[in-house]
Amino acid sequence: MLVSVDDYREGILSGLTALDPITLPLPDSHGCVLAEDVVAEWPLPSFDNSSMDGYAVLATDVAGATEESPVTLTVIDDVPAGARADVPVTSGNAVRIMTGAPTPAGTECIVPVELTDGGTSTVEIRGAVEAGTYIRHAGEDVIVGDTVVRAGTLLSARHLAVIAAVGKGHLLVYPRPRVAVLSTGSELVEPGTPLSKGMISDSNSFLLVAAANEAGAQAYRVPPVRDDAEAFSAAITDQLHRADLILTSGGVSMGAYDTVKEVFTEYGTVEFTKVAMHPGMPQGHGFVGESEDERIPVITLPGNPVSSYISFQNFVRPAINKMRGLPDGDRPRIPAQITKAMDSPQNKRQFARGRFLADGRVEPVGGGQGSHVIGGLAQSDCLIVIPEGVGHVNAGDTVDVVDLRGDVR
Ligand code: AMP
Ligand code: MG
């Protein structure tokens, strides 16, 4: 019996929760999800200040100033940014002031330096400025007690700015899940090693580490493990105190030497399932660990690289999202016109590799839709989703597409 993609995903997600929040220094929290509201303990701006380099004056003193009949005032103080403004502005006088510097008591407006001769003992004002102009008032942006960023926000550059501005140097955030990626197969060698007959370069572990990092995890690669129960068990045990999530690739089909299946049938709670999708039908997930509170989630992905990738997008990405405190739903899909007819297995959801054309249509990529077609995967920038129950689409039909173009940032 085949389990639907949605039910299988739900089965994985229902066993997962967000990781326990930790306190991180502000820069390290970039890209993490905030686990507390950030509340302003002081207003922004925190004091009245000038938005221009110029002169703090009384509006009435400069009301009649023009290019032809300038007004001359005495400069009684000079306030750069970061200085105190201790001398009040009074009639007939001006205080030279820089952008961001506090306005002296009595300031009614700032005359920009461009409207003056720039003088330092006296200043010639060559234009009128209305009361209130070029003064940034305390609290006009944020008041004390405002929540400047809410718990649950994925922290971007824009958020870090206001958090820094209200003076918080450390934040409570959900950590990035540590994801161990472990590929299995006696045929696997490290890229760069000459291939002897029957051997291939391990590509899945690189694909999965990169995909997990693109999804916001902190993923790392464990060297490939041969198809040997003892070696695989040892590699898993080694990860138990390091990883928040273990991903394996390979060894889950119906063949002999399918070591992942063999070991996890005896150890842990991993259940193996056939999911109604193409590619990526053989799947498994569950937990391993010494005790109930040490258990680590495991997702076992099929060995064919394209299957591994599609499975990652459907099951692992939402799992990582949930563990890092984000909504865990399916990836958004957009409608697009397909340029060529395609067949699809009636009883499965097909995830075909496609490429956007400049006019917004999608074309299936070359090389066929086999689950080993890794060259085709590299040519693709979207997944064409053909639902269960649909055996064929025609050129010109509108299909659902998962846009992968923003995945690397
Ligand atoms: P398996 O799921 O172990 O039966 O593997 C299915 C297919 O995927 C076989 O052709 C494997 O050689 C290939 N394969 C398995 N693991 C990897 C890997 N890490 N990198 C590239 N191909 C792999
Ligand atoms: Mg294998």
Side-chain angles (χ1 to χ4, degrees):
M1 240 265 301
L2 297 180
V3 175
S4 78
V5 175
D6 300 326
D7 286 351
Y8 184 70
R9 177 175 38 239
E10 207 31 59
I12 294 177
L13 295 176
S14 62
L16 300 176
T17 53
L19 299 176
D20 290 337
I22 56 169
T23 299
L24 287 183
L26 183 56
D28 297 347
S29 69
H30 183 213
C32 293
V33 175
L34 189 61
E36 60 179 344
D37 285 345
V38 174
V39 176
E41 286 171 26
W42 59 63
L44 294 179
S46 52
F47 50 87
D48 291 357
N49 68 89
S50 175
S51 68
M52 291 294 240
D53 295 330
Y55 296 84
V57 299
L58 302 185
T60 42
D61 276 357
V62 300
T66 62
E67 194 79 37
E68 295 72 34
S69 61
V71 170
T72 299
L73 301 174
T74 307
V75 178
I76 53 170
D77 196 13
D78 188 22
V79 191
R84 295 167 55 105
D86 290 329
V87 181
V89 173
T90 47
S91 186
N93 297 317
V95 169
R96 189 166 172 251
I97 192 166
M98 301 302 145
T99 304
T103 49
T107 302
E108 289 180 352
C109 59
I110 308 294
V111 180
V113 68
E114 294 84 347
L115 285 184
T116 72
D117 65 353
T120 52
S121 52
T122 62
V123 60
E124 207 176 88
I125 309 284
R126 296 166 179 163
V129 172
E130 274 179 40
T133 309
Y134 302 127
I135 301 172
R136 306 192 284 212
H137 292 283
E140 72 179 28
D141 181 9
V142 168
I143 59 171
V144 174
D146 270 358
T147 298
V148 290
V149 186
R150 294 208 173 279
T153 304
L154 178 58
L155 294 172
S156 73
R158 304 185 312 279
H159 304 113
L160 298 201
V162 74
I163 294 168
V166 299
K168 276 199 71 122
H170 288 79
L171 294 176
L172 195 63
V173 296
Y174 296 101
R176 294 175 182 272
R178 296 162 302 169
V179 176
V181 174
L182 207 159
S183 44
T184 67
S186 297
E187 72 278 34
L188 303 176
V189 298
E190 293 289 335
T193 314
L195 294 182
S196 49
K197 204 161 181 161
M199 306 298 274
I200 62 170
S201 286
D202 167 30
S203 52
N204 283 354
S205 64
F206 298 96
L207 174 148
L208 292 170
V209 166
N213 285 334
E214 285 173 3
Q218 218 163 58
Y220 58 96
R221 175 175 181 265
V222 178
V225 183
R226 63 186 188 282
D227 291 314
D228 172 84
E230 223 167 282
F232 179 70
S233 300
I236 290 290
T237 309
D238 203 35
Q239 295 310 317
L240 291 179
H241 299 288
R242 265 181 259 253
D244 299 308
L245 171 66
I246 298 175
L247 301 182
T248 66
S249 101
V252 294
S253 14
M254 304 305 286
Y257 312 108
D258 276 331
T259 311
V260 173
K261 207 169 195 177
E262 183 191 330
V263 168
F264 285 148
T265 303
E266 298 294 320
Y267 169 60
T269 66
V270 177
E271 287 196 21
F272 294 95
T273 311
K274 286 185 177 163
V275 179
M277 64 190 264
H278 180 265
M281 184 174 69
Q283 301 287 340
H285 76 92
F287 292 88
V288 287
E290 308 307 317
S291 63
E292 184 64 20
D293 45 311
E294 278 181 2
R295 44 184 231 150
I296 305 294
V298 177
I299 302 179
T300 66
L301 302 168
N304 274 304
V306 183
S307 307
S308 230
Y309 181 73
I310 303 289
S311 309
F312 180 92
Q313 294 301 335
N314 277 298
F315 309 127
V316 183
R317 203 173 197 271
I320 290 172
N321 278 342
K322 185 160 190 183
M323 294 175 88
R324 63 193 290 237
L326 284 174
D328 56 14
D330 204 357
R331 288 192 73 147
R333 296 188 209 155
I334 52 173
Q337 235 184 49
I338 192 166
T339 58
K340 285 187 195 142
M342 268 192 67
D343 290 328
S344 176
Q346 272 282 354
N347 60 340
K348 293 180 181 170
R349 191 178 300 175
Q350 157 115 309
F351 294 89
R353 275 71 64 210
R355 185 168 47 202
F356 282 105
L357 301 182
D359 62 8
R361 290 181 304 155
V362 291
E363 65 176 8
V365 293
Q369 294 295 338
S371 53
H372 61 290
V373 181
I374 205 166
L377 183 62
Q379 288 169 29
S380 69
D381 60 14
C382 64
L383 299 177
I384 301 166
V385 187
I386 302 182
E388 301 84 339
V390 176
H392 182 82
V393 291
N394 289 310
D397 282 358
T398 296
V399 290
D400 273 353
V401 171
V402 177
D403 188 351
L404 304 170
R405 289 173 297 186
D407 282 7
V408 191
R409 263 166 275 146

